[in-house]
Each structure stands twice: as C-alpha cells, then as structure tokens.
Amino acid sequence: MQRRRGRLVKTAGVVAGCVLVLTGGGAAWAYWHLDHNIRGVDIDSTLGDDRPPKPATPEPSATAPPAGALNILVLGSDSRSGSENSALGGGHSEGARSDTAMVVHLDADRSAATVVSIPRDTLVERPACPTSSGGSTQAAYDVMFNSAYSLGGPVCAVKTVEKLTGVRMDHYLEIDFSGFASVVDALGGVDLTTSEDIDDDLSHLQLDAGYHHLDGKQALAFARTRHGVGDGSDLGRIKLQQQLVKALVEKVSGSDLLTDPARLYKVADALTGSLTTDTGLDSLGELQSLAGSLKGLSADEVKTVMMPVLPAPSDPNRVVADEPEAGKLWASLR
C-alpha cells in the first residue's frame, strides 16, 4: 500500500501539470480555467502568531536546496451547499463537517512522508476560534473533532488540529462531496473487492461481498459507510477509506492519462473544481510547485498510520487520544 500511495503522490503532480500537454490558445484558457477553479481561504492572517512554531529550515546542500518540512491538513468535507452536494448528502451548508481528516507530513528533503488519519469521533478541546465578523467562538471541551469545521470552517479546523497535535499546519486542502464523486467518475470509476456484505441505510450503499465497479456516487457512499458493516465505528470507516484510496491509486497508476489529454483535463477540472486551499496553495502554479518538490519521494518512504486512540471514558461510542503514544507520534512530525 505504501508503494501505491507513493504513485498517488506522483500522479497528483501529473494531474496538477496537465495543462502542459495542451497546445495553442486552448492551453492558456485551460490554465486560466483550472487556476480559477481553486478556492482559497486566508488561514495564516486569520490565526495570527498564536500557533505552534514552524519547523526549522535545513541548511542548503550540494544535492538538495532547503525546502523545509511541511504539514498539510487534508479534509474530506460533507459540505451540503449547492445542488450537487445536497443530492449526495442532503441538509444545509451550516451542517457541513469534516468527514475525513488527515495530517500529511513531508520531510524537509522530501525523501519521506507520513500520513496520519484523525478519527472524526475523537473527543478534543476545541479552542476559541476567530469568526468572519471579527469576534471569536467560545472554547469547548470533550467535543467531537469534526464539530470544529461545522462551527468555524477551515480556520477552526486548523486551529483545533494544531491544539490537538502541537504541530503547525503549513497548508490546508479540502475536497467536497460532489468533487470527490466527479473525480472518480472522470477516472471512469474504481474497482474494489469487499470481504463482507455492506448494507448501510444511511449511506444508501448495498454491496454483496465480492468484486465491484463503483461509480463516483457509490465510491463516495463507500467512503462514508460505517453502519451495516464491521463494528459500525468510525475506525471501521477509516479502514474502508484506506481500501478505497488503495483502489483509486491502482486505477490512476493503471491509466495512462498523459496519452489522453481530453480525459486528463477532465480529471484535473474535477479535482481543482472541488478544492479549497489556504492562500499559499490557491493557484495552479503553487500546486505544481508542491507536486514538483515530491518527484524524488520514494514510494517505500510513505507511511500511513492512524492517531492512537482508545474508548472515551465518558462515552464508549467516542474515542480520545491514547497518550503518551499519540503525543510521541505528533512530536515526531514537528
């Protein structure tokens, strides 16, 4: 799985640079369109200086310039704003929460990466978060992790993760319901094999054990499924999400997108059209620069883990960080 994830990192760079395979005036329009697809949120100026320190930048060497370690908060949002998202999740934009949360740590020389999943049912301290009106929300204790996004959007999600981990988030990436489904559809669907039946009335997914070809809507339901399979927990959902990521990487690595510019553009359009980033990544050029820095990353040096957790004393249906193991993990990423 680590090798496949390494190919995913490199494929992301290919997608980000897809306009290079387009020619003539169409290339300029395509670049402009993809660039303007991306939505940016000014997180740095909103949060100010009351944050964990930035990692130290290494000294330059003859073989590699100093890049500095990076920590990127990646969220899969169940935002219900817009007709497409509403059809896939229902509800209103005020009900949006972070369905999936991962901290992606890139080593300073980009020779290794660590991807840490944070269960959304984790009980955390949610710090006071700045609001768009200039005020601030109140701090709260023993609340679900994904409530931070619901209450204060990307800024509060980043602040809560930094409070939980003690690690500064250098960048933020978010993909929404319809965007994820559109990317899967643009790839032509995804193939996977389930080891048990899935019957989840909430995600509206019914699958018999065995091989399946899923379209975008079905893949999204698979990523969100937690009831009707396994123990019904969020930890079980994370395992399904990891299986889906593995299947998507196999799909992408097995598709020669560079030989099909029209399809490549369709994938890139779906991806950039569903992204919300911090202002440090909200242009195609900045995304290309990040992807380019990862070209030397070895697939064997991409590690995927979940934050150590254990059942919460106050609620067996929730979890809390398992200390000191969780603290040691986050300390290794600073």
Side-chain angles (χ1 to χ4, degrees):
M1 183 169 69
Q2 292 176 354
R3 181 165 299 172
R4 293 190 181 99
R5 288 181 182 272
R7 290 201 298 267
L8 177 62
V9 170
K10 295 180 180 179
T11 301
V14 171
V15 172
C18 73
V19 293
L20 298 178
V21 304
L22 302 175
T23 60
W29 179 89
Y31 191 100
W32 181 91
H33 176 72
L34 294 176
D35 190 61
H36 283 72
N37 265 349
I38 306 165
R39 294 179 293 275
V41 177
D42 189 357
I43 291 174
D44 283 344
S45 65
T46 304
L47 290 181
D49 297 326
D50 185 20
R51 305 175 63 186
K54 293 182 178 180
T57 301
E59 293 294 328
S61 69
T63 57
L70 286 180
N71 292 297
I72 305 172
L73 176 61
V74 179
L75 293 186
S77 165
D78 71 351
S79 172
R80 284 90 187 269
S81 60
S83 59
E84 292 181 347
N85 279 321
S86 180
L88 291 169
H92 303 286
S93 59
E94 289 81 4
R97 293 182 296 184
S98 50
D99 239 23
T100 304
M102 297 179 292
V103 173
V104 179
H105 174 84
L106 304 174
D107 282 8
D109 60 2
R110 304 298 187 266
S111 64
T114 304
V115 181
V116 185
S117 295
I118 303 176
R120 74 173 199 172
D121 288 347
T122 305
L123 296 182
V124 299
E125 175 186 347
R126 187 182 66 219
C129 296
T131 63
S132 57
S133 62
S136 177
T137 64
Q138 291 187 343
Y141 301 87
D142 290 331
V143 296
M144 283 179 57
F145 165 75
N146 65 347
S147 69
Y149 181 92
S150 178
L151 177 70
V155 171
C156 198
V158 169
K159 192 170 181 66
T160 300
V161 169
E162 291 185 343
K163 180 68 176 180
L164 172 67
T165 66
V167 178
R168 186 187 182 98
M169 297 297 109
D170 301 287
H171 291 298
Y172 171 85
L173 287 171
E174 175 190 331
I175 186 168
D176 63 22
F177 268 22
S178 64
F180 177 82
S182 295
V183 170
V184 173
D185 283 335
L187 287 168
V190 61
D191 303 311
L192 53 78
T193 300
T194 59
S195 59
E196 58 182 307
D197 295 343
I198 297 176
D199 187 3
D200 189 343
D201 291 337
L202 295 181
S203 69
H204 307 294
L205 183 67
Q206 287 80 39
L207 296 176
D208 295 330
Y211 167 85
H212 298 278
H213 178 80
L214 306 183
D215 62 17
K217 185 175 181 179
Q218 291 170 316
L220 176 63
F222 189 87
R224 301 184 66 227
T225 288
R226 66 183 293 179
H227 304 284
V229 61
D231 62 3
S233 72
D234 188 43
L235 307 188
R237 175 176 22 213
I238 288 176
K239 292 181 179 179
L240 292 181
Q241 290 171 349
Q242 292 174 342
Q243 182 184 358
L244 179 59
V245 168
K246 181 178 178 179
L248 281 170
V249 174
E250 290 176 342
K251 178 71 175 185
V252 172
S253 62
S255 301
D256 195 356
L257 292 175
L258 284 178
T259 65
D260 189 349
R263 186 172 173 224
L264 180 59
Y265 177 80
K266 185 178 180 181
V267 173
D269 190 30
L271 180 62
T272 57
S274 63
L275 283 181
T276 299
T277 75
D278 66 281
T279 50
L281 286 179
D282 64 350
S283 74
L284 196 60
E286 288 162 335
L287 287 175
Q288 285 180 282
S289 178
L290 175 61
S293 74
L294 302 178
K295 63 183 180 181
L297 182 64
S298 168
D300 293 333
E301 296 301 326
V302 179
K303 181 172 66 173
T304 305
V305 299
M306 184 177 72
M307 181 183 74
V309 296
L310 39 79
S314 61
D315 186 345
N317 294 317
R318 302 288 180 257
V319 296
V320 293
D322 183 7
E323 299 295 357
E325 283 73 15
K328 293 177 181 178
L329 171 62
W330 297 124
S332 71
L333 305 186
R334 296 187 188 121

